[in-house]
Amino acid sequence: MKATKELLVTSTGHEDWVPLLELAAREVFELMLGCQLTSSEDVIDTVMEITSMVGLAGELRGVLSIQCSRESAALMACKMLGIEQDKVGPELCDAFGEVCNMVAGNFKNKISGLSAGCMLSVPTVITGSNYKLHRAAESLALETRLLFEGTPLVISLQVHR
Amino acid sequence: MDGISALIVDDSSVMRKIVERSLRQAGINLTHVFEAGNGAEALTLLAESRVDLILCDINMPVMDGLEFIKQLPGVANAKGVPVVMITTEGSEAHVVKALSCGAKGYIRKPFTPDQVREHVIPVLAGK
């Protein structure tokens, strides 16, 4: 069985950023949503039907994205707003985008000397799972998989060379 | 502490709600909360209304937070009103730039209500 907590690095260099990416995400969920992201050795089959993306420009160029199920994104929104899950409406995409924005900002702040020279775009949220994200040929992909309230969350960073 | 009115400037409506909740959890008595989605909206709002405290993001469309606070000295309703930045931009360079533009405090996202209390209460007390 393939481990869910798999760190995927498709090229050499910056592999040591994966733990920072994971730490950045853990801190955001702990401080802003009041919950712990966990690791799991089990594979959980879930349709990742919502994606949030934040672009990075300047000294570090690329895209940070988070994918999860719509139910997970709704749960994030209700935890951030302190409301019941069935009361979450259009805030879902706003909340999910803001989570990605905070993870991206927290991540770049952890890399010495990078923060001031790297700018973030405003977040973009895509709903639906029937799409493929094509990355630039000369890019490095870092990925970490975590569990949010028992459901999978994929956090990816594509760094353009 | 007497009741105050606050203006929260952030392009995320969810984040504006979180900031408002954090202010209340910090024990700040909010009598009125104004919201704006970017600096330009905030300037329009300040042309009509006076507030006691402004909390402002940096990365926003239309007009960002640094440009917004640079324009505040020309706004009559913003004279003497303290501004606290709440942003994902955490570098010392951003902090220095914000403070040199007139911000009185700086909170990095993600944040806790305790951090909001630590940064906002002294600013409101004029320290």
Side-chain angles (χ1 to χ4, degrees):
Chain A
M1 183 177 286
K2 190 178 172 186
T4 304
K5 168 100 175 55
E6 178 183 55
L7 304 180
L8 175 66
V9 179
T10 58
S11 179
T12 56
H14 302 316
E15 288 89 345
D16 54 340
W17 284 2
V18 175
L20 293 179
L21 188 61
E22 190 173 312
L23 178 62
R26 286 180 184 275
E27 287 179 348
V28 168
F29 278 77
E30 187 172 342
L31 293 176
M32 304 303 291
L33 285 79
C35 62
Q36 305 276 341
L37 292 179
T38 57
S39 305
S40 171
E41 295 302 315
D42 300 323
V43 172
I44 299 174
D45 192 21
T46 302
V47 178
M48 301 291 186
E49 54 196 350
I50 186 162
T51 304
S52 180
M53 299 190 300
V54 169
L56 299 97
E59 291 176 17
L60 177 65
R61 299 177 305 282
V63 178
L64 190 145
S65 64
I66 302 177
Q67 292 176 284
C68 66
S69 68
R70 190 174 182 84
E71 289 71 26
S72 294
L75 186 57
M76 288 177 207
C78 78
K79 283 184 175 292
M80 290 171 81
L81 289 165
I83 60 176
E84 297 297 319
Q85 197 163 351
D86 59 0
K87 299 282 195 300
V88 175
E91 308 93 341
L92 186 151
C93 289
D94 185 357
F96 191 46
E98 195 57 27
V99 167
C100 189
N101 182 45
M102 286 189 285
V103 172
N106 201 25
F107 168 74
K108 78 177 179 110
N109 291 337
K110 292 184 183 306
I111 299 174
S112 178
L114 176 66
S115 183
C118 175
M119 291 155 286
L120 302 180
S121 73
V122 292
T124 298
V125 175
I126 300 169
T127 56
S129 58
N130 188 19
Y131 72 93
K132 184 170 175 58
L133 196 62
H134 296 272
R135 62 189 173 94
E138 291 297 315
S139 69
L140 163 72
L142 307 174
E143 182 179 287
T144 184
R145 292 167 182 257
L146 295 165
L147 295 179
F148 163 64
E149 300 291 306
T151 63
L153 199 65
V154 180
I155 303 170
S156 308
L157 174 66
Q158 293 189 5
V159 181
H160 301 162
R161 295 185 184 277
Chain B
M1 184 179 290
D2 293 338
I4 66 161
S5 60
L7 167 60
I8 301 171
V9 190
D10 198 305
D11 56 325
S12 164
S13 64
V14 169
M15 190 51 64
R16 295 196 298 269
K17 293 281 179 284
I18 291 173
V19 172
E20 177 182 348
R21 189 177 64 205
S22 297
L23 290 170
R24 294 186 191 282
Q25 288 174 339
I28 296 167
N29 180 12
L30 295 173
T31 54
H32 195 87
V33 176
F34 297 91
E35 295 185 28
N38 58 65
E41 282 183 15
L43 289 173
T44 301
L45 200 147
L46 286 169
E48 302 289 330
S49 306
R50 169 92 187 168
V51 298
D52 302 301
L53 173 68
I54 298 171
L55 295 112
C56 185
D57 188 15
I58 289 183
N59 290 333
M60 293 180 289
V62 185
M63 181 188 289
D64 68 31
L66 293 177
E67 182 59 32
F68 166 64
I69 59 174
K70 280 183 198 168
Q71 298 202 21
L72 285 181
V75 179
N77 278 337
K79 287 276 189 303
V81 178
V83 180
V84 175
M85 310 307 289
I86 300 190
T87 175
T88 54
E89 295 292 356
S91 73
E92 280 305 306
H94 277 102
V95 176
V96 169
K97 194 168 185 180
L99 296 179
S100 68
C101 287
K104 299 296 182 192
Y106 201 100
I107 300 169
R108 292 177 176 89
K109 298 176 188 172
F111 58 85
T112 64
D114 284 345
Q115 288 171 320
V116 172
R117 182 185 300 114
E118 286 168 19
H119 288 82
V120 173
I121 299 289
V123 164
L124 284 173
K127 291 175 184 171

